[in-house]
Amino acid sequence: MISKDTVEEKVEAIKEYKKELADDIINLNLKENESIKKLSRDEIIDLFETMD
């Protein structure tokens, strides 16, 4: 259970956004995905960096 307007809620939203974006990339749905067009260079790099 995640409370509304909490850090956990924001983290879950980011995780879902990244999952959908990754699914679109894998399935080559890039033309239909507006989200990827809005990403900055740094945000794209962040998607592919590994967490230590």
Side-chain angles (χ1 to χ4, degrees):
M1 180 189 249
I2 297 175
S3 299
K4 185 176 169 86
D5 298 324
T6 62
V7 172
E8 290 84 5
E9 181 183 42
K10 292 175 184 175
V11 168
E12 285 299 314
I14 291 168
K15 285 171 48 178
E16 181 63 26
Y17 169 76
K18 285 186 172 185
K19 181 191 173 303
E20 290 174 7
L21 186 58
D23 288 344
D24 286 343
I25 291 169
I26 290 168
N27 295 319
L28 299 176
N29 291 331
L30 301 180
K31 287 185 179 181
E32 297 173 14
N33 188 317
E34 291 296 318
S35 298
I36 199 163
K37 295 176 186 175
K38 296 177 184 176
L39 291 176
S40 70
R41 180 181 185 277
D42 290 335
E43 289 171 323
I44 293 170
I45 291 170
D46 286 345
L47 288 173
F48 295 100
E49 285 184 344
T50 58
M51 297 180 75
D52 295 326

